[in-house]
Amino acid sequence: MRSRIVGLALTAVAFAVALFGIPLAIGLAHLAVTEEQASMQRLAGFTARSVQDDMSHDRTPSALPDGPDDTDIAVYDGDNDLVLGDGPRRGDASVEYILSDRSTSRPDDGDLTVTTPVRDGEDIIGAVRVSTPTSAVYGGLLPVWLGMAALAGIVLVAAWLLARRLALRLSGPLERIAADADRLGDGDFGIRPRPAGIVEMDRASDALGRTARRLDDLLARERAFSAEASHQLRTPLAGLRLRLESVVDHPERLTRETVEDGLASIDRLERTIDELLVLARERQVRSAPADLAALLAEAEHEWSDRLAHEGRSITTARPSDLPDPDASAAAVRQILGVLLDNACLHGAGAVSISAREAGESAIAVDVADDGPGIPASALLGENGSQGMGLPLARRLAEAEGGRLTARQSPSVVTLLLPLGPHDAAGAPGPARDAAAPPELDRTR
């Protein structure tokens, strides 16, 4: 690329120099010839006047004016014979042309020649021929032409140096962008493009940097999501394993209810896998509002038996006119599963799930029990004892535009979910008396 930029720049400069220099050199040559002919014309006229008196009285002129070194001056009589000076013994075509009573001289094909008549009144009694080699005129222009050629060379050298500098400036950022692209292709997302001071290249570098950061963030989120999702799958797998091991140790406990319970656990596991896959594929897709009443009833049905084995109970409550949140049902189901699993493992006493309004544009789902509760740091994954389910629940809530908060004494974990613009505006949802207290639909 560098050699191509330098070549193009030199070609453009050479073309410009030639386009300007060649007509200038030709014009200078034409001007020099014109000035030389004018000077020779003046010298020929002066010579004709100086020899006029002698030739009018049939005397041979004895002297001629001094001219330039390369200029020959010759005087011819009316018979076209050389009388005085340097020139052919017989006058050439230009002398014959003048002696034939022509008013102007005809230039010779070779040297620059100027011929002027010597008059005696109206009669032409002779001619003065002044000539100089054309090479002498062009020789005088040689220093000027050499100077122009030297100047053109200096211009080309300067253009070459400038083109090299521009090529380095242009190719350097492009080479860095290419190197960054190679690193990005090799999986290195830590590239940080440097500004080049060229708008277009800086724009390309910024786009490449943003792409690297997005890919880095995407991979980090996918890795974290995969790790947390695998943890989410371990809980039902562990429950199923315990049931199967219990049956192996005590075959007499194998009843139809045990098999149905195991099949239900497998169904929940398959549904969890399907939901995680859907969430992984459609995290950026706007989902339909979740049916919160169905989700609460489903959670109560799923966790009531497990809590009952530990002597605990679960209740759910929601106002009958509470609108559904603008969130994915799969995401809300997974979040509630994590919160109930955490309440089952680390909580105590009865577990309650209650939904309520939280301002004009959000609803809150509180999962509470009588245990000590979890610190807010557990939601960020900073408390290893709480496992990885809570960070997954927090990520899912944030992906749905919501938030997850935790409070201790009493233990309450609150899931805040947004309402869609339609529901937040209050229409056309179910009619409700704003002054009346919310009516709770207690199912258990």
Side-chain angles (χ1 to χ4, degrees), residues 300-427:
E300 180 184 1
H301 175 73
E302 182 176 345
W303 288 88
S304 59
D305 292 342
R306 181 175 174 181
L307 290 170
H309 284 302
E310 300 177 2
R312 303 170 63 184
S313 62
I314 181 172
T315 59
T316 62
R318 63 175 290 274
S320 58
D321 57 350
L322 188 69
D324 290 327
D326 186 19
S328 166
V332 176
R333 183 182 293 111
Q334 290 300 320
I335 296 171
L336 291 178
V338 171
L339 300 182
L340 290 172
D341 182 65
N342 182 74
C344 181
L345 294 177
H346 305 288
V351 178
S352 65
I353 306 175
S354 58
R356 56 184 172 82
E357 290 187 351
E360 297 181 353
S361 60
I363 66 169
V365 179
D366 298 321
V367 179
D369 60 65
D370 298 332
I374 60 172
S377 59
L379 301 177
L380 303 175
E382 299 174 356
N383 189 343
S385 64
Q386 303 297 333
M388 300 176 64
L390 290 174
L392 171 61
R394 179 183 61 82
R395 289 177 182 275
L396 290 176
E398 292 175 351
E400 297 300 323
R403 191 157 53 93
L404 200 62
T405 63
R407 187 175 70 242
Q408 295 176 294
S409 300
S411 172
V412 179
V413 180
T414 301
L415 171 62
L416 293 171
L417 293 172
L419 290 173
H422 194 66
D423 293 330

Side-chain angles (χ1 to χ4, degrees), residues 37-391:
Q37 287 178 333
S39 176
M40 293 167 61
Q41 187 66 46
R42 289 192 297 272
L43 179 60
F46 179 75
T47 303
R49 288 192 296 272
S50 65
V51 302
Q52 179 185 11
D53 184 62
D54 291 336
M55 295 185 71
S56 298
H57 295 83
D58 295 331
R59 295 194 300 267
T60 301
S62 59
L64 294 176
D66 295 331
D69 294 339
D70 296 331
T71 301
D72 294 334
I73 304 174
V75 178
Y76 294 87
D77 57 15
D79 297 330
N80 199 16
D81 292 329
L82 179 63
V83 176
L84 182 63
D86 299 325
R89 297 184 61 83
R90 294 286 295 175
D92 55 9
S94 63
V95 177
E96 294 178 354
Y97 188 79
I98 290 297
L99 293 178
S100 61
D101 198 12
R102 304 294 178 87
S103 58
T104 57
S105 64
R106 188 179 63 181
D108 199 346
D109 295 336
D111 297 340
L112 290 177
T113 303
V114 173
T115 306
T116 188
V118 180
R119 295 181 180 275
D120 182 12
E122 296 297 330
D123 299 330
I124 298 177
I125 57 175
V128 176
R129 178 180 181 274
V130 178
S131 65
T132 186
T134 305
S135 59
V137 179
Y138 293 150
L141 287 174
L142 187 58
V144 179
W145 286 346
L146 291 177
M148 292 175 60
L151 183 60
I154 293 173
V155 170
L156 290 176
V157 171
W160 177 71
L161 294 175
L162 181 61
R164 278 177 53 87
R165 185 177 181 84
L166 290 177
L168 288 174
R169 185 181 177 188
L170 292 175
S171 62
L174 286 178
E175 291 175 352
R176 288 198 296 271
I177 291 175
D180 290 341
D182 289 339
R183 291 175 55 190
L184 183 61
D186 294 337
D188 182 3
F189 304 118
I191 61 173
R192 295 293 182 270
R194 292 181 298 170
I198 303 174
V199 176
E200 292 79 5
M201 293 185 182
D202 287 345
R203 194 177 301 165
S205 298
D206 292 341
L208 188 62
R210 287 195 300 272
T211 301
R213 288 192 293 273
R214 283 198 298 269
L215 290 175
D216 193 16
D217 294 341
L218 178 62
L219 282 182
R221 286 199 303 269
E222 294 301 329
R223 288 167 182 164
F225 185 81
S226 300
E228 293 162 355
S230 63
H231 171 80
Q232 187 70 3
L233 295 176
R234 288 194 187 101
T235 300
L237 281 175
L240 180 60
R241 182 181 183 86
L242 288 176
R243 292 188 184 93
L244 293 176
E245 288 177 351
S246 176
V247 170
V248 171
D249 294 339
H250 304 282
E252 68 279 5
R253 296 181 181 176
L254 180 60
T255 62
R256 181 180 179 85
E257 290 75 12
T258 304
V259 175
E260 290 177 350
D261 186 59
L263 292 175
S265 298
I266 293 175
D267 291 340
R268 288 195 298 272
L269 185 60
E270 290 179 348
R271 187 181 62 189
T272 300
I273 294 173
D274 293 340
E275 289 176 349
L276 290 175
L277 291 175
V278 171
L279 289 173
R281 294 193 194 103
E282 303 179 354
R283 294 181 81 171
Q284 304 299 326
V285 178
R286 193 72 176 172
S287 57
D291 186 349
L292 190 58
L295 289 173
L296 295 185
E298 185 179 321
E300 180 184 1
H301 175 73
E302 182 176 345
W303 288 88
S304 59
D305 292 342
R306 181 175 174 181
L307 290 170
H309 284 302
E310 300 177 2
R312 303 170 63 184
S313 62
I314 181 172
T315 59
T316 62
R318 63 175 290 274
S320 58
D321 57 350
L322 188 69
D324 290 327
D326 186 19
S328 166
V332 176
R333 183 182 293 111
Q334 290 300 320
I335 296 171
L336 291 178
V338 171
L339 300 182
L340 290 172
D341 182 65
N342 182 74
C344 181
L345 294 177
H346 305 288
V351 178
S352 65
I353 306 175
S354 58
R356 56 184 172 82
E357 290 187 351
E360 297 181 353
S361 60
I363 66 169
V365 179
D366 298 321
V367 179
D369 60 65
D370 298 332
I374 60 172
S377 59
L379 301 177
L380 303 175
E382 299 174 356
N383 189 343
S385 64
Q386 303 297 333
M388 300 176 64
L390 290 174

Side-chain angles (χ1 to χ4, degrees), residues 9-48:
L10 284 181
T11 301
V13 173
F15 181 76
V17 169
L19 194 64
F20 176 77
I22 293 176
L24 180 61
I26 295 174
L28 288 175
H30 180 71
L31 179 63
V33 170
T34 302
E35 290 182 348
E36 183 67 20
Q37 287 178 333
S39 176
M40 293 167 61
Q41 187 66 46
R42 289 192 297 272
L43 179 60
F46 179 75
T47 303

